[in-house]
Each structure stands twice: as C-alpha cells, then as structure tokens.
Amino acid sequence: MEAIPGEFEKPYAKKLSEFVESEIQSSIPIYPPQHMIFNALNSTPFDKVKAVIIGQDPYHGPGQAMGLSFSVPQGIKTPSSLINIYKELQRDLGCSIPSHGNLERWAVQGVLLLNAVLTVRQHQANSHAKKGWEQFTDFVIETISKKRTGVVFLLWGNYAQAKSSWLYLEFIHSSDF
C-alpha cells in the first residue's frame, strides 16, 4: 500500500470506500471479510513482487474468499478454477497437485494474487464490479508494471487478458545482446 500513496484520497476511491462501507452495513454478507479485503497487497509487499496473477473477483460463497485471487482457506473445497491451474502446472512443470487451495505460500514468496474487484456480495458474482475497484487495481497493475522490473504477469482467462492494456511492456530485441 505504501507504493500507492494518495490513491485512497482520490474522488473515485472515496466513493468506492463509501459504497463498500454501505455494503458491509447491509444485511447481505460481503466477501472477503473486511480485514482481508487488501490481503493480496498486504501479503506481497511492492518491493517483493515477482509475479502477478490477476483474477476477476473474490469467490462469493461463505468461507471461500480470503483476499487472494484463486485462493481459498485450508479446509474449503478447492474451486475448479484453481484445480485447472494446478493441472496445468502439473502438465507443464510436473508439479504435484496440492490437497488444498490455500495459496498464502505463493503470496509471501512474491506472487501477487490480485483480483480486479476486491469485494463481492454473497452468492452474487461480479456484484461489486464497476464500483471503482477496477480503477484501483488498474492503478496497482500499472504502478507495478512501470516501477518494477522482471515481474511476470499471468493473465489467465479473457477477463484478466483485458488488463494487459495497463502493462508497460519493455521489449528486448535480439540485437541488444
């Protein structure tokens, strides 16, 4: 969060904050729990980011969302989206498939597991889309892309691939060697 000073003072962020606060006060639960909304940014400090995996929005079932894209707490059934990621890692790199869906180890090792939208209503996928989160996470992605070198961005799925417009790409040509 220290890498994005002043972002929370912008008009869109204040409006977003008011929206999220009103949702928290409503009778419909939102996920992840309030203390975990910025878990991705708190678990993977800016200066430690090595890779960024972008998801759409948090899982919207009780107990699933933990503020890290594609991750669920240990003891919660691994979602099919994460099983597909595990299968691809196994196919491509020979990795074994874990018995759980908790990706906290990835986060502390430098993998920023960032959803484009950081909150959601229970059982209502994408319910907090277009409320300001996308502008915030686009800024985070753009900041990492411009200020950090050697970071790998994994854009799994069409939604994440649409975020590629925020990446500052520096191409290395073979003549540079």
Side-chain angles (χ1 to χ4, degrees), residues 50-118:
K50 298 174 190 171
V52 179
I53 298 176
I54 302 170
Q56 187 167 332
D57 65 343
Y59 295 121
H60 52 84
Q64 293 178 311
M66 55 187 296
L68 304 172
S69 65
F70 299 102
S71 184
V72 293
Q74 212 143 347
I76 298 293
K77 183 180 181 217
T78 304
S80 59
S81 56
L82 182 54
I83 289 172
N84 290 336
I85 292 168
Y86 285 162
K87 285 179 181 177
E88 186 58 30
L89 287 170
Q90 182 182 49
R91 186 194 66 74
D92 191 41
L93 302 172
C95 299
S96 60
I97 295 178
S99 61
H100 61 82
N102 188 321
L103 301 179
E104 287 176 305
R105 279 192 53 220
W106 291 13
V108 297
Q109 292 177 30
V111 179
L112 179 61
L113 299 162
L114 184 67
N115 281 312
V117 174
L118 301 187

Side-chain angles (χ1 to χ4, degrees), residues 157-168:
N158 292 333
Y159 187 86
Q161 289 169 9
K163 294 283 184 189
S164 66
S165 65
W166 289 108
L167 301 179
Y168 175 76

